[in-house]
C-alpha cells in the first residue's frame, strides 16, 4: 500500500486485474505495447493526472475508480471502449476530462461523481441508461459543470447530454457542428456559447431540439 512510483517497461503487453489497487501511486507511465487497461487496475490509487496513450483501445470497468486525487484525464484517440464506472469518483477534485475522438462504446456511469470540465473532441456515444432509454447512461452521476464541444465534432446525437443527475451550467459549441439531434438541451444549462453564429444558423437540427430547455 506504500508503493508510490513504478516504471513500467515498454515491452510489457498486458497487466492483469487489480494489479495496483490500493497503492499510493501518484503517477504512472502506460507501456506502448499495451492495448487494454484491465478491471480495477489502478482503482483507489493516488494518481493526480493520467494521459491514456493512443495504443490503448479499451478501458475496462472501474480501471480508475475512486482515484479521488485525479485532477486531469486525457483519453487518447485510440480508445474505442470504456467500461462501467471506469472513472467513478465519490469525492472528486477533477478539473478536466478530455474524451478522445473515437470512443464508440461506453457503459453506464463512466464518470460518476466527476466534476470540472468535459471536453469532447470527436464522437459522442449514446448509452441507454439502466433507468430510462432517453437518458445518456454513460453520463449518469457525472457532475461536470461545463461541456466543451471541440471544432472537430460534426454530429450531436439525440439526448446527447440528458441525464437526471446533470449539473452542467455551460455548454460551448465548436465551429464544426453540422447536425444536432433532439432534446440535447434537456439538461437546461444556464449558458450556451456558440463560436460561430452564422454557421450555427445553417445547422441541420431536429424541430424539437429545444425540448425541455429553460
Amino acid at each position: 500500500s506504500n508503493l508510490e512510483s513504478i516504471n513500467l517497461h515498454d515491452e510489457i503487453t498486458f497487466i492483469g486485474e487489480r494489479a495496483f489497487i490500493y497503492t499510493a501511486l501518484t503517477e504512472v507511465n502506460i507501456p506502448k505495447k499495451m492495448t487494454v487497461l484491465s478491471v480495477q487496475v489502478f482503482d483507489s490509487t493516488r494518481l493526480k493526472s493520467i494521459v491514456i496513450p493512443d495504443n490503448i483501445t479499451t478501458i475496462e470497468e472501474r480501471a480508475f475508480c475512486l482515484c479521488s486525487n485525479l485532477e486531469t484525464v486525457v483519453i487518447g484517440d485510440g480508445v474505442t471502449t470504456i467500461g462501467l464506472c471506469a472513472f467513478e469518483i465519490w469525492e472528486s477534485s477533477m478539473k478536466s476530462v478530455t474524451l478522445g475522438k473515437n470512443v464508440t462504446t461506453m457503459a453506464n456511469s463512466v464518470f460518476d461523481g466527476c466534476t470540472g470540465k468535459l471536453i469532447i473532441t470527436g464522437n459522442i456515444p449514446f448509452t441507454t441508461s439502466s433507468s430510462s432509454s432517453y437518458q445518456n447512461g454513460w453520463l449518469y452521476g457525472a457532475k461536470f459543470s461545463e461541456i466543451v464541444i471541440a471544432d472537430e465534432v460534426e454530429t450531436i446525437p439525440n439526448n446527447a447530454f440528458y441525464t437526471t443527475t446533470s449539473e452542467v451550467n455551460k455548454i460551448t459549441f465548436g465551429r464544426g457542428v453540422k447536425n444536432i439531434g433532439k432534446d440535447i438541451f434537456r439538461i437546461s444549462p444556464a449558458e450556451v456559447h456558440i463560436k460561430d453564429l452564422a454557421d450555427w444558423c445553417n445547422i441541420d437540427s431536429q424541430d424539437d431540439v429545444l425540448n425541455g430547455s429553460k
Side-chain angles (χ1 to χ4, degrees):
S1 62
N2 292 327
L3 181 66
E4 295 182 356
S5 65
I6 188 167
N7 183 23
L8 299 173
H9 197 283
D10 273 341
E11 294 301 311
I12 293 173
T13 59
F14 181 77
I15 296 174
E17 296 182 9
R18 299 167 60 87
F20 299 105
I21 192 171
Y22 303 133
T23 58
L25 287 176
T26 58
E27 60 182 355
V28 66
N29 63 299
I30 298 176
K32 296 178 180 178
K33 292 188 177 181
M34 286 179 55
T35 58
V36 175
L37 292 175
S38 298
V39 173
Q40 294 185 281
V41 63
F42 296 112
D43 187 334
S44 302
T45 56
R46 299 179 186 174
L47 293 173
K48 295 181 179 179
S49 67
I50 185 72
V51 176
I52 297 171
D54 291 348
N55 52 286
I56 297 295
T57 61
T58 302
I59 302 171
E60 295 190 338
E61 66 179 74
R62 294 183 167 85
F64 297 94
C65 182
L66 301 185
C67 293
S68 58
N69 290 340
L70 267 179
E71 294 185 352
T72 59
V73 172
V74 177
I75 297 172
D77 291 341
V79 176
T80 60
T81 303
I82 303 179
L84 178 73
C85 300
F87 295 93
E88 179 184 46
I89 301 173
W90 295 345
E91 296 182 7
S92 175
S93 56
M94 192 78 74
K95 295 179 180 177
S96 70
V97 173
T98 302
L99 190 64
K101 296 178 181 179
N102 298 304
V103 179
T104 55
T105 303
M106 297 180 80
N108 276 277
S109 305
V110 167
F111 297 111
D112 190 358
C114 288
T115 56
K117 179 190 299 184
L118 172 63
I119 303 167
I120 298 176
T121 64
N123 184 53
I124 304 176
F126 185 86
T127 301
T128 300
S129 170
S130 55
S131 59
S132 168
S133 60
Y134 296 104
Q135 294 180 34
N136 200 347
W138 63 268
L139 275 171
Y140 184 81
K143 297 180 179 179
F144 295 116
S145 60
E146 181 178 1
I147 295 176
V148 176
I149 311 299
D151 291 344
E152 301 95 320
V153 179
E154 295 186 358
T155 300
I156 300 175
N158 296 345
N159 304 294
F161 312 117
Y162 178 34
T163 168
T164 55
T165 62
S166 174
E167 298 183 9
V168 176
N169 292 318
K170 177 180 176 181
I171 296 182
T172 300
F173 290 93
R175 295 179 175 86
V177 178
K178 294 181 174 61
N179 300 283
I180 295 179
K182 62 182 180 180
D183 296 350
I184 67 165
F185 292 116
R186 218 175 250 282
I187 56 173
S188 299
E191 300 178 24
V192 174
H193 291 241
I194 299 166
K195 287 185 177 180
D196 192 322
L197 191 57
D199 282 348
W200 180 267
C201 292
N202 293 321
I203 290 174
D204 181 16
S205 60
Q206 301 283 342
D207 291 339
D208 44 6
V209 66
L210 293 175
N211 273 4
S213 64
K214 298 178 181 179

